Amino acid sequence: MIHTDAPIQANPASPAVHFDAALIAKMSQQGPRYTSYPTADRFRAGYGHADYAAVVGQLGEAAPRLPLSLYLHIPFCESLCYYCACNKIITKEHDKAAIYLEYLKREISMQAALLGREQRVEQLHLGGGTPTYLSDEQMASLMAHLASCFEFADGDSGEYSIEIDPRTVDRERILSLRRQGFNRLSLGVQDFDPEVQKAVNRIQPDALTLDAIGAAREAGFGSISIDLIYGLPKQSLKTIGETLAKVVLASPDRISIYNYAHMPQLFKSQRLIVDADLPSDSDKLAMLGLCIERLTAAGYIYIGMDHFAKPDDELAVAQRSGQLHRNFQGYSTHADTDMVSCGVSAISAVGDSYCQNEKSLERYYAALDEGHLPVARGIELTRDDVIRRDVIGRLMCDFALSVRSVERAHGIEFGVYFAAELRRLREFEGDGLLDISDAGLTVTPAGRLLVRNLCMVFDKYFGTSNDIALQRMRYSKTI
């Protein structure tokens, strides 16, 4: 839902975000990232393709139908990055991608038949894995198939993005991606330092990254984004500072800086990282502080969580106007869309429901061979879920919440409905994380880095598990 009231604004003269190491050290804990609410660990296994089809059928009764945001998951990579927590398949046998592509097209066709081929697509994102693992010819075939199944908005109004690994492309490939319709590009970098790259098994010379950025600008991509990680093995304040200097010089439109969550109990590849090489918690905090200092000094706006953008970037503009949205890919400018995701493990958000595809290739292929969508689990949101999703989403995107807007949208009396939550928030107010008034909530610059902590107050599922150890294993630290 687009926020109809302008968000409550902090003092425009105050900094957008303030780094307070002592406050972060006190408040940081394990918690969800809230790319959805309820979070994906709340999906139930009994939700299948028939449930999803019923949800889509109910959408047909609405007028007008929402446009679509499409996500396609390409799971293949040629080499293993030790830090990676994505659903990926490491193989140099590219024939496997050809088989996968045929099944992916079959799923896309099924979705189009269910949703209606007249459905307008305003956003497309290819993630992975490594989407550029597909050859140029395979990518052209995939884009042609999509165009035959759905109506796409033109390149001026539509947002069509792809994640690339600079090690897998050259100038000609990037120019071809632009001709194929992509207008947004995201580059995985993580760190420029050779020793850090060696420690995580991702050797990527500077020239590969900088040449890819240059080619993207030559091709006319409307937005170029760089992904970095802090907290990797062998990183230090010196190395992260040198990486930041190179990033600022390259001047991408958006920068994502993720906190490396070392969870080898969940992700086998992380067991290949030497624990002794990891920076201490205090060093990681200092790295985060340096990232914020350097990027804001360079003119970037702190959007939220791990994201920075130039002031004229669509994300920054959307945030200022209260139109920013958060979904399974992070922050987005296309709020009023149903998100349909295809590919192994992909998660869709359609109507007031979420569903996830099978996580293994074998089960994914088997479901499509049986003639139905490969939905493995999901959840239908209750009215309470929808209300809490709205509240959490606005806090994550606006750092503010209008009581009147929530009451008008959901027919509740905010102070009564959330009486227990407001009592808990008073403690955070005492710590300087937010200001509470009759009009609503405003997250302070110091509280913006800890907004996940505030959102957890509104999460009725969080903290209900009796197995606290399992909960700690499941989530990364909020900072």
Side-chain angles (χ1 to χ4, degrees), residues 242-277:
E242 291 169 348
T243 287
L244 288 168
K246 292 177 182 179
V247 169
V248 169
L249 191 62
S251 191
D253 302 282
R254 301 175 185 177
I255 302 168
S256 298
I257 304 183
Y258 298 103
N259 171 17
Y260 171 61
H262 190 57
M263 304 173 77
Q265 71 277 12
L266 291 183
F267 308 109
K268 290 182 179 180
S269 63
Q270 294 186 358
R271 297 172 193 172
L272 299 170
I273 287 176
V274 179
D275 286 6
D277 289 340

Side-chain angles (χ1 to χ4, degrees), residues 366-435:
L368 290 166
D369 282 337
E370 290 169 7
H372 60 76
L373 291 168
V375 177
R377 63 192 192 118
I379 187 172
E380 292 185 32
L381 277 63
T382 65
R383 178 174 179 267
D384 179 67
D385 290 337
V386 172
I387 294 170
R388 292 174 184 272
R389 176 178 67 179
D390 187 20
V391 168
I392 289 171
R394 298 281 36 98
L395 285 173
M396 292 291 292
C397 293
D398 298 338
F399 296 120
L401 184 71
S402 163
V403 164
R404 178 170 174 263
S405 177
V406 175
E407 290 181 335
R408 187 170 60 186
H410 301 290
I412 63 170
E413 186 176 343
F414 190 91
V416 175
Y417 198 94
F418 290 116
E421 287 80 0
L422 286 170
R423 285 194 294 271
R424 292 175 60 194
L425 288 175
R426 289 292 178 187
E427 299 176 16
F428 288 112
E429 186 179 36
D431 287 314
L433 270 67
L434 81 163
D435 296 320

Side-chain angles (χ1 to χ4, degrees), residues 14 34 38-39 81-82 139 176 197 215-216 246 252-253 269 280 307 330 349 440 442:
S14 66
Y34 293 114
T39 50
C81 300
Y82 296 163
M139 188 66 73
S176 181
Q197 292 180 2
K246 292 177 182 179
D253 302 282
S269 63
S280 66
H307 291 66
T442 303

Side-chain angles (χ1 to χ4, degrees), residues 110-375:
M110 288 182 180
Q111 286 281 12
L114 186 62
L115 292 158
R117 293 179 181 268
E118 72 284 355
Q119 276 288 91
R120 177 181 171 87
V121 175
E122 291 188 351
Q123 189 175 45
L124 170 70
H125 183 79
L126 269 66
T130 306
T132 45
Y133 186 94
L134 298 181
S135 70
D136 194 43
E137 294 75 16
Q138 287 173 328
M139 188 66 73
S141 174
L142 175 59
M143 295 300 285
H145 184 75
L146 285 167
S148 72
C149 289
F150 297 103
E151 175 191 339
F152 279 76
D154 62 45
D156 292 331
S157 58
E159 182 178 300
Y160 308 126
S161 60
I162 184 169
E163 300 170 10
I164 71 164
D165 180 341
R167 301 172 299 171
T168 66
V169 298
D170 56 17
R171 172 181 173 274
E172 290 304 319
R173 182 69 196 277
I174 291 176
L175 294 177
S176 181
L177 289 171
R178 183 69 186 94
R179 289 192 298 269
Q180 288 166 351
F182 294 102
N183 55 20
R184 304 286 188 275
L185 201 67
S186 176
L187 295 88
V189 176
Q190 321 320 338
D191 194 290
F192 278 107
D193 186 81
E195 290 304 310
V196 175
Q197 292 180 2
K198 191 181 302 181
V200 297
N201 197 41
R202 187 187 176 103
I203 307 302
Q204 187 172 311
D206 295 6
L208 287 180
T209 299
L210 299 177
D211 287 350
I213 292 172
R217 289 208 171 97
E218 177 189 350
F221 279 86
S223 178
I224 300 169
S225 176
I226 282 182
D227 292 343
L228 303 175
I229 301 177
Y230 71 93
L232 291 173
K234 301 289 188 180
Q235 273 183 337
S236 66
L237 276 176
K238 179 178 182 294
T239 64
I240 201 78
E242 291 169 348
T243 287
L244 288 168
K246 292 177 182 179
V247 169
V248 169
L249 191 62
S251 191
D253 302 282
R254 301 175 185 177
I255 302 168
S256 298
I257 304 183
Y258 298 103
N259 171 17
Y260 171 61
H262 190 57
M263 304 173 77
Q265 71 277 12
L266 291 183
F267 308 109
K268 290 182 179 180
S269 63
Q270 294 186 358
R271 297 172 193 172
L272 299 170
I273 287 176
V274 179
D275 286 6
D277 289 340
L278 291 168
S280 66
D281 287 346
S282 61
D283 285 344
K284 282 183 71 175
L285 268 184
M287 290 178 193
L288 173 61
L290 184 64
C291 290
I292 293 169
E293 175 191 332
R294 294 283 182 85
L295 294 181
T296 53
Y300 286 90
I301 303 298
Y302 178 71
I303 300 298
M305 289 290 292
D306 324 279
H307 291 66
F308 295 79
K310 290 183 175 179
D312 59 349
D313 184 85
E314 290 177 346
L315 283 182
V317 173
Q319 187 173 57
R320 288 195 296 271
S321 64
Q323 308 283 313
L324 194 63
H325 176 63
R326 189 161 171 79
N327 61 27
F328 293 104
Q329 276 71 63
Y331 288 102
S332 169
T333 59
H334 289 257
D336 273 355
T337 57
D338 281 316
M339 184 175 178
V340 175
S341 300
C342 297
V344 64
S345 78
I347 303 177
S348 296
V350 177
D352 290 332
S353 72
Y354 302 124
C355 66
Q356 183 172 26
N357 280 352
E358 295 285 2
K359 292 184 178 181
S360 77
L361 275 186
E362 292 76 12
R363 291 194 296 271
Y364 175 75
Y365 290 162
L368 290 166
D369 282 337
E370 290 169 7
H372 60 76
L373 291 168
V375 177

